[in-house]
Amino acid sequence: MTAEATVAEISVTIGERPAGTAPGEDILLDVRGLQTHFHVMDGTVRAVDGVSFSVPRGGTVGLVGESACGKSVTALTIMRLLDIPPAEIVGGEVWFDGREILALPEEEMRHLRGNDIAMIFQEPLTSLNPVLTVGDQISEQVRLHLKVDKKEGLGRAIESLRTVGIPNPEQRVKQYPHEMSGGMRQRVMIAMALSCEPKLLIADEPTTALDVTIQAQILELLKAVQERTKSALMLITHDLGVVAEMVDEIVVMYAGQIVEQGTAEQVLTRPMDPYTMGLIESLPSVKKRGGRLSAIKGVVPSPFNLPPGCRFAPRCPYVWDACRTTSPELIPVGGHGQRARCLLHTPAGAPRRAAVFDTAASSGTTAGHGA
Amino acid sequence: MAHEAKSLSTPTGSAPIDVEADAIQAIGMGIAQPDDATALRREEAGADYEVALESLNQWQLAWRKFRHHRLALMGLGILASFFIIALVGPIVWPFDFNTIPQPDVIVYQGRPPSLVHPFGETGGLQRDVLNLVINGARTSLFIGFSSMALGVLIGTIVGSLAGFIGGVLDNVLMRTVDVFLSIPLLFLILVASRFFGNGNVMLIVMIFAFFSWMGIARLVRSLFLSIREREFVEAARAVGVRDRRIIFRHILPNAISPIVVSASLIVAANIISEAFVSFLGFGVNPIYPTWGNILSNALTFIPLGNWWWPFFPGLMIILTVLAVNFVGDGLRDALDPRTRA
Amino acid sequence: MGKYIVRRCIQAIPVLFGITIVVYAILLAAPGGPTARFANNPRVTEADREKFKKAWGLDQPVPVQYCRWMGVCNPDNEGLAVFISDNGVPNFLPAAVGGGTNGILHGDFGISISTGQAVSTMIARAALPTAILAGTALVLWLLFAILIGSYSAIRRYSFFDQASTVFAYVGYAMPTFWLGIMLIFIFSGPGLNILPAGGMTETRLSPPFGSDAYWTYFGGHPVQAILDIGKHLILPVITLVVVNIAGDSRFIRASMLESLSQDYVRTARAKGLRNRVVWFKHAFRNAMLPFVTNVGLEIPFLFAGAIVTETIFSWPGMGRLTIDATRDFDYPLLMGVLLITAVIVVFANLLADIAYAVVDPRIKY
C-alpha cells in the first residue's frame, strides 16, 4: 500500500509544469529544462542539456551516472557556483522553495547558500581550508546566516560536530583538517552543511574518496541526520549500490541528459533504459554470484563529438539503425511515473521490445512495459 | 577499442623507455630470462612502428603547443633575428676601436637619432650607436648563452651525482650549493670578474658559468630523487641495468623539460649580469663594445641629455630578456604533458 | 616553537662556516693577491711589497691566515701556541672569558687596506643608509606585489590584469641599472630636474650623512632632514623595487589563482560567504604560504639590487662599499662586506622558515 502511495506521489511531481509558474507547495526544488554549457577553446560543451526533475520537501533523490555525465554540473548550477564564463546557463529554470533562483540577484542567492541549500563535496581533505581550524570554518557560516556572536557560533559548531558523532567536539573545533582522518573530515563537512539546518542538502559523491569501511558509516550518518532534520537530500553518485539504500527517487544521467527517472524501486528492479540496465548489470550482487560481472562496453562519447542519434547508441547492446539517426525523447514508460529515453519504448521499437526485456530484465516481469 | 583509445590519448614519458619497461616487466613476470632482454626488445620490433609514431607525436605535440603560444613564437623570432644580427652584423659593419668616424671633429655632445644614424651618435668620438649595439650583440649574446650552457652542464653533472649516488657525496654537494646560494651571487660574480676576469670574454663566460649551476644542480637532484623512485627505474635496477644506462636512458630524458625551462631563466639573468658587471667596469675590456660597456660609457653623458646612448643598448637587453622569457614560458607549456594543444 | 627556532639556528652554523671558507677561498685564488694593486706602481719596490705582506700577515701559511682572520689563531703566538690567547685560554673564546680579541669571531674584521680604518667601523657606518634604502624598498615591494598580484588574480583577464602582466614582463626584463639611468635622465636630467640624481642628503643644506655634525643638524631640524632623505630615496627605491614587484606580483597572482581554484574556496562559496571573505580569509591566506618562503629566497636579490642602485645613485651604503672594495682589491673590507651580507641573507632565510612554520598549521616543529 505504501509503495502504491509513493508511486502516485511521484507521478504528480515529475509532470512538467509550464515555464514561469511556481511548482506546488510540496515541491522544494524543481529543475526544468536546465541547460548549462561550457565555452572552451575547442568549442562548446553541453554539460547539462535539458534536465528536468524535482525534489519534494524532505524527499530524497539520487542523481546517478558515470563521471562527466553532468551530475555535478547540475548541482553546481543549482548552487550557482559555476564560473561564468566559461560556463553559461543557456536555458531552463530552477525553482527552490517557491522562487526561481537562477534569476535571483547574487546577494540574495548568497543568503540561500549554506543557509537553505547546503552542499557536501567529494574530497573532504581538499574541501576544507587547511589553514583554518574546523571550528572556525563551521562557525563562520553559522555566524553569517544565523547572525550570532562569535561565542555562540563556536557553541553551535561544537553542537553540530556532536550531532555527526564526533567524540570530544570541544577539543576537535580547535583542530585543523590535517589533524583528522578522512572519515572524520567528511563528518566535519556534514556537520558544516547541517549547521544552519538547510532545507536541501546536496551531497556530491560524499563517500567516493573514503575507505570502504568508512563509506557505510558516512552513508548511515547522512541518512540518519536527513531523517532527523527533515531536510531534503539530493545525492549525486556513480554508484547505484549507494542510492539503492539512500533515496526514494532516482534520476539516471548520460552525456548531459536524463535517460531514466522513477522511484528507486522502479529503476532498480525494472530498468527501462539500456544504459540503466548496463549500470545495474555491472553491479556485483548475490544473485549473480559465480557469474561474470559485465561492464558497459566503450567510453562516454567526447562532449565535442556527440553521436547524432541516441547518445548511448555506440555502446548500446540493443542498438539498431534508427538509434543512429533519431534522438529519443524522455517518455513515460509503464504508466507509474517512470520515464526512459529509448527508442525501444516508441512504436518503432515495439517489435524489438519483447526480446530485449525478456533477456535483460532480472525480475522477469516483462508484461505491461509497453508505452 | 577502449584500451587503444586510452594509450593514444595518454602522453607518457618518452616511448623507448616504455617499451623497455614493458620488456622488463615481462622479465619480472617470468616470461623471459634477463639475458633475453635485448632479444626481447628486438623481438618487439613489431611495436617499433608504434613507438616511432608515438615519440614523433610527443615532439610534434610539443611543437604544436609551442606554435600556439603566440608570445613564445614572437620571442623565438626576436632571438633568431638577434642571433643573425650578432653573427652577420659585425662582418658587414665591423667595429674597430681605432677607427674614429670623424677624427678631426671632436665634440662633447652626442647627436640624437636621425635618418643616417637611427640610434644616434655618441658624445666624444661620435661613434654610431647602432654600430656599437650591433657589435655589442655578439659578445653579450655569446656570454649569456654559452655561460648558460656551461652552467647547465656543470649543474646537471653535480645534480646527477648527488641524486644518484646520494649519501655523503649528496650531503657535501648540496651543502655547498646551500652556501653558494646564501651569498648574493652578483657579489661573487662581481668580485670574481674583477679578480679573475681581466676583461677576457672567455674567462667571463667561465666565471658566469661557475656561478650559475647551483639552481640546476638542485633541480636535477630533486628530479633524480623523485624519478629514481618510479617503477620503471626500479624495474630496470632489478634486472641489473647498469647505472650509467639508467641515468642516460631513463632519468635524464625525463628531466629535460624542467632543465630547459630553468636554463632560459639563467640566460636572462646572465645577460643582465654581464651588462651590469661590464657597466661597473669589471667585465669585458671596455674598449670592446658590449651592451653593458656602451651603457657604462654613456653614464657620464646622462646629465647632458644624451638619452639615446644608454637607451638603445638597454632596449636590446630588455628585448632579449623578454624574448628568452617568452620562449621559456612557451617551452614550459609545450613540454608539460598536462597542458593541451 | 622555541625548540624549532633553536634547531634552525644551529643548522645555520655550518652554512655560515662554509660561507667564510668560500669567501676566503675566492679571494685567496685571486691572481696577484692583495699586492696586485701595487703591481703597476713603479714607486713600490719589492722590499715595500714584502713589508706590506709581513704587516698584513700574508707571509704566513694559508690555514694560519684563515684562522687568524677567523679569530681561532692568536697572531702574537707561534707554533701550536697560536690557538692560545694571551690569557692562556683557547683563542676562539669570547674576550670576556679571556679569549682573543682578533678575528671575526670577536667582531674584528681587520683594517681596510685602502683607508686604514677598521672594517667594522666602515661597515657600521654604511649599514644605516643601506638599511634605510633596503627597508623602504622591502616594505614597498611586499605591499605593491601583494596588492597588484591578488587584484590581478581576482579580476583575471580584466584591463588591470593585462596591464599588470605587461608591466611584470617588461619590469622583470629590465636591467636595474638601466632603469636607474633612465629615471635619472627623466627626473633629474635637463628637462624636469625635480629630483636629486644622487646622494643621500642635500650637501649644501646639511653636513655629510653619518658624521657627528649631521646628527646635531638632524636633532635641530628632524622634519626637514627626514624630508630631505625621503626626496633622495624616491628614485633609488623605485629602481630597486620594480624588478621585485614585477616578479612577485606574477608569483602572487599565480599562487592566488591556484588557491582560488581549490576545493576549499568552492566550499567557502557554497557556505554563502561574501566574496571579500572568500578571497581574503580563505584564498589569500593559502596563497601567501609559498610567498613567505619566496621572500626569504629573494632577499639576496634585494642586496644585489642595492649594490647596483647605490652605485648609480651614489648612496653611501654597503653596496658602494662593496664596489669600492672590489675596485681597490681591499681584501679585509671585501671579506667583511661579503660575510656580513651572507649572514644577513642566512638569517633572512631563517626568519622566512620560522614565519612559514607560524602561518602554516601543517608544519610540525
Side-chain angles (χ1 to χ4, degrees):
Chain A
M1 267 294 125
T2 40
E4 277 299 320
T6 326
V7 170
E9 190 189 294
I10 298 298
S11 61
V12 173
T13 60
I14 285 179
E16 298 247 350
R17 269 166 292 272
T21 57
E25 257 302 295
D26 52 330
I27 301 297
L28 178 66
L29 176 76
D30 195 26
V31 177
R32 302 177 195 167
L34 189 65
Q35 285 178 295
T36 306
H37 294 181
F38 286 92
H39 301 290
V40 292
M41 256 203 292
D42 300 289
T44 297
V45 177
R46 288 180 290 173
V48 176
D49 200 7
V51 165
S52 304
F53 67 94
S54 58
V55 181
R57 277 180 203 278
T60 50
V61 171
L63 221 57
V64 185
E66 285 169 283
S67 42
C69 70
K71 312 169 299 224
S72 297
V73 177
T74 306
L76 291 173
T77 310
I78 294 168
M79 291 290 278
R80 285 181 47 192
L81 282 179
L82 291 169
D83 286 323
I84 298 171
E88 186 192 356
I89 301 171
V90 179
E93 294 175 356
V94 175
W95 289 80
F96 177 80
D97 209 9
R99 284 197 288 180
E100 211 286 278
I101 59 173
L102 290 187
L104 278 187
E106 174 59 28
E107 190 60 20
E108 277 179 55
M109 187 64 213
R110 211 169 52 69
H111 288 296
L112 284 184
R113 278 188 217 126
N115 196 12
D116 292 329
I117 314 176
M119 194 160 174
I120 301 167
F121 297 100
Q122 175 174 346
E123 188 66 66
L125 177 58
T126 56
S127 296
L128 289 168
N129 195 324
V131 300
L132 303 175
T133 60
V134 296
D136 191 5
Q137 295 187 58
I138 299 174
S139 66
E140 69 172 343
Q141 182 180 3
V142 178
R143 283 162 56 200
L144 177 78
H145 292 301
L146 306 182
K147 310 268 180 289
V148 295
D149 63 13
K150 205 167 185 169
K151 203 176 156 204
E152 195 180 344
L154 197 65
R156 287 205 183 221
I158 293 171
E159 217 34 63
S160 53
L161 285 180
R162 205 190 305 281
T163 318
V164 295
I166 290 182
N168 208 356
E170 291 84 359
Q171 302 303 314
R172 289 282 178 175
V173 286
K174 292 177 204 147
Q175 289 193 326
Y176 291 94
H178 71 276
E179 296 172 289
M180 297 182 163
S181 67
M184 222 35 124
R185 285 184 211 126
Q186 196 59 299
R187 279 172 197 265
V188 169
M189 283 299 287
I190 294 172
M192 195 191 287
L194 293 172
S195 61
C196 296
E197 292 166 4
K199 294 175 179 142
L200 173 65
L201 184 60
I202 302 177
D204 186 355
E205 305 263 13
T207 57
T208 309
L210 302 177
D211 288 349
V212 185
T213 47
I214 310 292
Q215 286 186 358
Q217 289 179 18
I218 293 293
L219 286 175
E220 245 164 61
L221 170 71
L222 211 52
K223 187 80 185 156
V225 293
Q226 187 267 327
E227 273 162 8
R228 193 164 60 236
T229 58
K230 301 277 180 291
S231 68
L233 173 69
M234 186 173 137
L235 180 67
I236 298 172
T237 179
H238 64 281
D239 188 351
L240 270 177
V242 167
V243 285
E245 319 195 341
M246 295 287 295
V247 300
D248 306 331
E249 201 180 311
I250 292 178
V251 174
V252 182
M253 287 185 71
Y254 184 77
Q257 293 176 323
I258 294 178
V259 291
E260 178 156 12
Q261 62 191 148
T263 62
E265 199 210 344
Q266 287 171 341
V267 173
L268 292 174
T269 59
R270 295 184 301 278
M272 287 296 157
D273 188 272
Y275 177 64
T276 318
M277 294 180 203
L279 282 183
I280 292 173
E281 267 168 44
S282 59
L283 275 181
S285 75
V286 185
K287 273 185 204 163
K288 284 185 282 185
R289 194 172 215 153
R292 277 180 77 97
L293 280 181
S294 57
I296 303 174
K297 289 188 179 65
V299 289
V300 181
S302 153
F304 303 109
N305 194 15
L306 289 172
C310 172
R311 293 181 185 178
F312 189 57
R315 303 172 70 188
C316 183
Y318 312 116
V319 64
W320 79 92
D321 299 347
C323 300
R324 303 191 204 279
T325 49
T326 319
S327 296
E329 295 293 317
L330 188 64
I331 49 173
V333 180
H336 293 290
Q338 192 172 2
R339 294 159 149 248
R341 187 188 293 274
C342 181
L343 289 179
L344 283 173
H345 302 295
T346 63
R352 298 162 184 275
R353 206 178 302 154
V356 170
F357 290 99
D358 271 338
T359 54
S362 50
S363 60
T365 53
T366 52
H369 286 313
Chain B
M1 274 296 273
H3 176 254
E4 227 180 84
K6 222 177 185 173
S7 68
L8 274 178
S9 62
T10 323
T12 43
S14 84
I17 288 173
D18 289 345
V19 167
E20 202 168 310
D22 281 348
I24 286 160
Q25 216 171 15
I27 296 158
M29 282 149 64
I31 296 167
Q33 292 300 305
D35 295 2
D36 291 341
T38 10
L40 191 74
R41 257 200 314 281
R42 227 172 281 134
E43 242 174 48
E44 285 205 348
D48 266 358
Y49 166 68
E50 204 180 308
V51 168
L53 196 77
E54 256 202 0
S55 62
L56 196 69
N57 272 347
Q58 197 199 349
W59 291 108
Q60 273 181 337
L61 196 75
W63 170 237
R64 218 179 73 188
K65 282 195 262 186
F66 188 84
R67 229 178 29 196
H68 282 279
H69 203 293
R70 219 181 307 151
L71 285 176
L73 220 55
M74 204 172 85
L76 199 63
I78 294 176
L79 277 189
S81 50
F82 280 13
F83 269 113
I84 293 170
I85 289 171
L87 284 175
V88 180
I91 301 169
V92 179
W93 190 11
F95 168 84
D96 180 6
F97 182 73
N98 296 317
T99 309
I100 296 162
Q102 287 164 291
D104 43 339
V105 192
I106 293 183
V107 288
Y108 195 57
Q109 277 277 18
R111 275 199 222 131
S114 61
L115 277 179
V116 190
H117 303 286
F119 284 10
E121 288 169 282
T122 71
L125 301 176
Q126 292 211 299
R127 293 189 195 277
D128 185 285
V129 176
L130 180 61
N131 178 260
L132 292 175
V133 166
I134 286 174
N135 284 275
R138 180 178 270 195
T139 325
S140 291
L141 290 178
F142 176 75
I143 291 176
F145 279 86
S146 52
S147 66
M148 175 276 287
L150 204 55
V152 167
L153 186 71
I154 301 173
T156 308
I157 293 171
V158 172
S160 305
L161 287 176
F164 202 80
I165 295 171
V168 180
L169 183 74
D170 178 30
N171 250 318
V172 169
L173 289 176
M174 284 306 113
R175 291 299 80 74
T176 312
V177 168
D178 283 351
V179 168
F180 268 106
L181 289 180
S182 298
I183 312 171
L185 285 181
L186 196 60
F187 277 67
L188 295 185
I189 289 178
L190 202 66
V191 173
S193 303
R194 168 69 167 150
F195 284 18
F196 307 108
N198 290 330
N200 182 315
V201 173
M202 293 315 290
L203 286 174
I204 299 274
V205 165
M206 287 203 270
I207 289 165
F208 275 65
F210 185 74
F211 290 109
S212 43
W213 56 270
M214 293 72 126
I216 293 278
R218 242 185 207 178
L219 180 80
V220 171
R221 171 181 174 271
S222 69
L223 287 170
F224 259 75
L225 290 185
S226 69
I227 297 173
R228 196 171 61 168
E229 302 305 320
R230 288 220 212 128
E231 291 83 358
F232 65 86
V233 174
E234 276 186 10
R237 271 249 169 103
V239 296
V241 177
R242 266 194 316 255
D243 282 358
R244 203 184 40 180
R245 191 173 164 73
I246 291 178
I247 293 177
F248 284 103
R249 291 272 310 213
H250 293 236
I251 296 183
L252 281 184
N254 282 281
I256 282 178
S257 58
I259 292 179
V260 164
V261 173
S262 34
S264 73
L265 293 177
I266 296 179
V267 171
N270 283 1
I271 286 177
I272 290 186
S273 302
E274 183 280 320
F276 172 60
V277 171
S278 296
F279 172 74
L280 289 174
F282 300 163
V284 177
N285 191 339
I287 65 167
Y288 299 113
T290 73
W291 292 340
N293 278 344
I294 306 170
L295 281 172
S296 176
N297 295 334
L299 189 58
T300 42
F301 288 80
I302 282 297
L304 299 174
N306 287 194
W307 60 269
W308 55 91
W309 192 350
F311 178 78
F312 288 105
L315 191 68
M316 297 299 276
I317 296 174
I318 293 180
L319 284 177
T320 313
V321 173
L322 265 181
V324 169
N325 286 343
F326 285 153
V327 172
D329 278 5
L331 283 174
R332 190 187 51 209
D333 291 351
L335 296 172
D336 183 354
R338 283 168 303 178
T339 61
R340 281 159 37 79
Chain C
M1 193 72 218
K3 254 188 191 164
Y4 175 77
I5 295 174
V6 170
R7 205 178 67 224
R8 292 292 286 105
C9 285
I10 291 172
Q11 280 170 359
I13 291 175
V15 175
L16 290 174
F17 187 66
I19 289 168
T20 63
I21 293 180
V22 169
V23 168
Y24 207 85
I26 288 172
L27 298 186
L28 194 76
T35 53
R37 60 200 300 259
F38 307 124
N40 298 323
N41 191 337
R43 289 210 307 221
V44 178
T45 63
E46 191 59 38
D48 288 340
R49 222 166 276 151
E50 286 310 312
K51 221 170 94 191
F52 177 85
K53 279 186 175 174
K54 181 115 187 140
W56 293 96
L58 298 170
D59 53 342
Q60 301 288 320
V62 173
V64 174
Q65 286 185 41
Y66 172 74
C67 289
R68 278 188 183 180
W69 178 64
M70 283 291 289
V72 175
C73 281
N74 184 349
D76 301 333
N77 286 345
E78 297 282 332
L80 276 179
V82 289
F83 296 109
I84 306 299
S85 75
D86 297 341
N87 299 325
V89 297
N91 196 61
F92 68 87
L93 289 173
V97 296
T101 51
N102 66 305
I104 54 172
L105 284 176
H106 305 106
D108 174 15
F109 289 80
I111 308 245
S112 160
I113 292 176
S114 49
T115 65
Q117 289 172 305
V119 169
S120 46
T121 317
M122 293 177 74
I123 289 176
R125 206 188 307 126
L128 184 59
T130 297
I132 293 173
L133 178 64
T136 316
L138 187 68
V139 171
L140 291 177
W141 156 26
L142 297 182
L143 188 72
F144 279 97
I146 290 173
L147 283 180
I148 295 174
S150 29
Y151 194 73
S152 302
I154 291 167
R155 297 265 173 264
R156 194 181 184 182
Y157 302 136
S158 64
F159 174 76
F160 179 86
D161 182 29
Q162 297 187 345
S164 72
T165 303
V166 172
F167 160 76
Y169 267 117
V170 176
Y172 201 63
M174 198 143 43
T176 309
F177 56 98
W178 183 78
L179 176 65
I181 295 172
M182 286 296 133
L183 285 176
I184 293 177
F185 174 75
I186 295 169
F187 292 102
S188 328
L192 278 174
N193 201 9
I194 45 170
L195 287 171
M200 192 169 170
T201 50
E202 190 63 68
T203 40
R204 275 164 301 179
L205 287 178
S206 58
F209 183 83
S211 62
D212 291 341
Y214 179 81
W215 292 115
T216 321
Y217 160 80
F218 189 90
H221 320 264
V223 178
Q224 196 185 343
I226 289 174
L227 282 180
D228 187 36
I229 292 180
K231 204 168 132 189
H232 284 78
L233 258 179
I234 295 173
L235 292 184
V237 164
I238 294 175
T239 308
L240 194 48
V241 295
V242 161
V243 177
N244 288 320
I245 292 177
D248 281 348
S249 65
R250 290 286 91 182
F251 187 95
I252 288 173
R253 178 182 181 271
S255 179
M256 189 77 177
L257 281 177
E258 168 87 20
S259 59
L260 279 174
S261 70
Q262 294 293 316
D263 289 349
Y264 54 76
V265 166
R266 191 181 56 189
T267 308
R269 288 172 63 210
K271 288 196 278 191
L273 300 177
R274 284 186 184 82
N275 275 341
R276 206 159 24 89
V277 179
V278 174
W279 290 332
F280 292 108
K281 183 171 177 185
H282 286 267
F284 184 74
R285 279 175 77 157
N286 283 285
M288 281 304 111
L289 294 181
F291 185 60
V292 171
T293 312
N294 193 50
V295 169
L297 293 176
E298 282 184 344
I299 295 287
F301 295 102
L302 190 67
F303 278 98
I307 318 181
V308 184
T309 314
E310 289 182 4
T311 313
I312 299 168
F313 291 97
S314 325
W315 195 264
M318 301 268 285
R320 267 273 298 279
L321 216 54
T322 312
I323 301 292
D324 292 346
T326 310
R327 181 177 296 121
D328 300 341
F329 294 107
D330 193 340
Y331 281 62
L333 183 56
L334 198 48
M335 290 195 286
V337 173
L338 280 178
L339 196 65
I340 290 288
T341 316
V343 168
I344 292 171
V345 169
V346 168
F347 276 96
N349 281 327
L350 197 67
L351 222 58
D353 279 356
I354 292 168
Y356 191 86
V358 171
V359 290
D360 189 344
R362 283 166 297 185
I363 299 291
K364 286 214 172 65
Y365 42 76

